[in-house]
Amino acid sequence: MSRPTNYLEYNRSAWNHQVKSGNQWTLPFGDEVIERARNGEFNIVLTPTKAVPQHWFTPKGTRLLGLASGGGQQCPVLAAAGYDVTVFDNSIEQLKQDQSMAEKHQLNIKTMQGDMADLSAFADASFDMVFNPCSTGFVPNVREVYSEVARVLKKGGVFMTGFTKPVYYLFDIKLVEEGVFTLKYKSPYSDLESLSDEELNTFLSQNEPIVFGHSLEAHINGQLEAGLQLTELFEDDWGGTNPIDQYFPSFVATRAIKI
């Protein structure tokens, strides 16, 4: 199996397949979650398990971009809670999940398919908040994403994102599952450059999306250089489903405002 030359096209197809296979991040939330959100009670995540603090959000009624946030989960909840939501995602099947939820629950959700590193479909200062749940690992240049986020945010607007720590990608996850914690790969990481042909072919045969592990410098300085001022962060793990949890939390969520 040859190495994909167009990561964006490949990942679009891979996530479309993940929806059809029932990946947990592609399954819409239940009716009770939407009803609670209508009553002002909601908890959503940027990372696997830890809920985003309520004080991180802008006031209800403001314009919100769910960036690479398709799947019928966070964005329908935010729409039910009173936000003016636009979902932007690379996978049309993921977006269909949000469209289905919008129709089922009569939610005001707009959907658009595209590359998270190219938000040219939106004018400058279009949104009050950008919500980006742990998906920048599917693009090779995270700084481009942060630059575009800053452009489409209004001054004082809020940006929330979750990302995987670069140290996580140094390990062979198959060995980790066997209890072997050996450093194997270099940082920054890329499936396309770090994996052997055999390893990559295994992932591709399973329709796994291509992953890029960015440095902390790229994540933090990338936001700062784009004009996003960090205000708070928290760490998270896999919720006990990954043996690496016993050693360190693999995820970080950050909140920033456009200055």
Side-chain angles (χ1 to χ4, degrees):
M1 188 178 295
S2 60
R3 291 175 179 254
T5 56
N6 187 324
Y7 81 90
L8 187 66
E9 182 179 299
Y10 171 81
N11 276 356
R12 181 182 305 124
S13 176
W15 274 108
N16 287 342
H17 186 275
Q18 293 295 322
V19 173
K20 296 173 182 177
S21 299
N23 180 296
Q24 66 170 318
W25 302 113
T26 72
L27 300 176
F29 286 154
D31 297 351
E32 69 284 355
V33 177
I34 301 301
E35 287 309 307
R36 285 201 300 270
R38 290 191 195 276
N39 294 323
E41 300 177 14
F42 69 92
N43 288 298
I44 55 176
V45 298
L46 289 162
T47 50
T49 67
K50 190 177 292 187
V52 179
Q54 291 293 309
H55 68 270
W56 278 27
F57 292 93
T58 55
K60 297 175 184 179
T62 52
R63 293 196 65 191
L64 182 151
L65 176 63
L67 182 60
S69 187
Q73 298 185 355
Q74 296 96 342
C75 286
V77 168
L78 290 166
Y83 291 91
D84 180 3
V85 177
T86 298
V87 191
F88 191 84
D89 200 280
N90 187 30
S91 164
I92 192 66
E93 294 298 327
Q94 283 280 72
L95 292 172
K96 285 180 180 178
Q97 302 292 65
D98 293 281
Q99 292 164 355
S100 176
M101 290 289 282
E103 293 170 5
K104 180 178 182 180
H105 297 283
Q106 298 182 323
L107 301 171
N108 180 24
I109 298 176
K110 296 173 282 295
T111 60
M112 185 176 296
Q113 190 273 327
D115 175 10
M116 75 175 90
D118 178 8
L119 303 181
S120 56
F122 304 113
D124 295 357
S126 292
F127 298 97
D128 302 284
M129 181 163 67
V130 176
F131 188 90
N132 172 235
C134 224
S135 55
T136 51
F138 301 115
V139 295
N141 189 339
V142 72
R143 280 184 164 91
E144 292 179 350
V145 177
Y146 295 148
S147 178
E148 280 291 86
V149 165
R151 182 184 64 78
V152 302
L153 264 180
K154 295 178 181 178
K155 186 174 181 180
V158 173
F159 174 51
M160 297 184 230
T161 186
F163 60 85
T164 309
K165 291 181 180 179
V167 65
Y168 177 78
Y169 295 108
L170 303 184
F171 298 92
D172 183 324
I173 299 306
K174 289 190 177 298
L175 290 178
V176 166
E177 292 172 350
E178 298 172 3
V180 179
F181 296 84
T182 301
L183 295 179
K184 182 175 181 179
Y185 304 113
K186 295 180 180 179
S187 184
Y189 172 88
S190 164
D191 279 348
L192 295 176
E193 297 178 4
S194 303
L195 298 181
S196 67
D197 288 343
E198 180 180 1
E199 290 171 322
L200 183 60
N201 285 340
T202 297
F203 282 132
L204 299 183
S205 68
Q206 298 170 349
N207 290 290
E208 290 289 341
I210 292 169
V211 169
F212 304 88
H214 309 294
S215 67
L216 282 177
E217 184 176 290
H219 280 297
I220 303 304
N221 282 354
Q223 293 188 57
L224 297 175
E225 291 164 2
L228 299 166
Q229 184 177 74
L230 294 170
T231 63
E232 196 171 344
L233 63 81
F234 64 81
E235 296 177 301
D236 195 11
D237 59 26
W238 291 95
T241 63
N242 190 310
I244 218 160
D245 284 355
Q246 63 186 301
Y247 295 103
F248 62 87
S250 298
F251 300 93
V252 176
T254 62
R255 180 187 187 272
I257 58 172
K258 181 179 178 179
I259 57 177

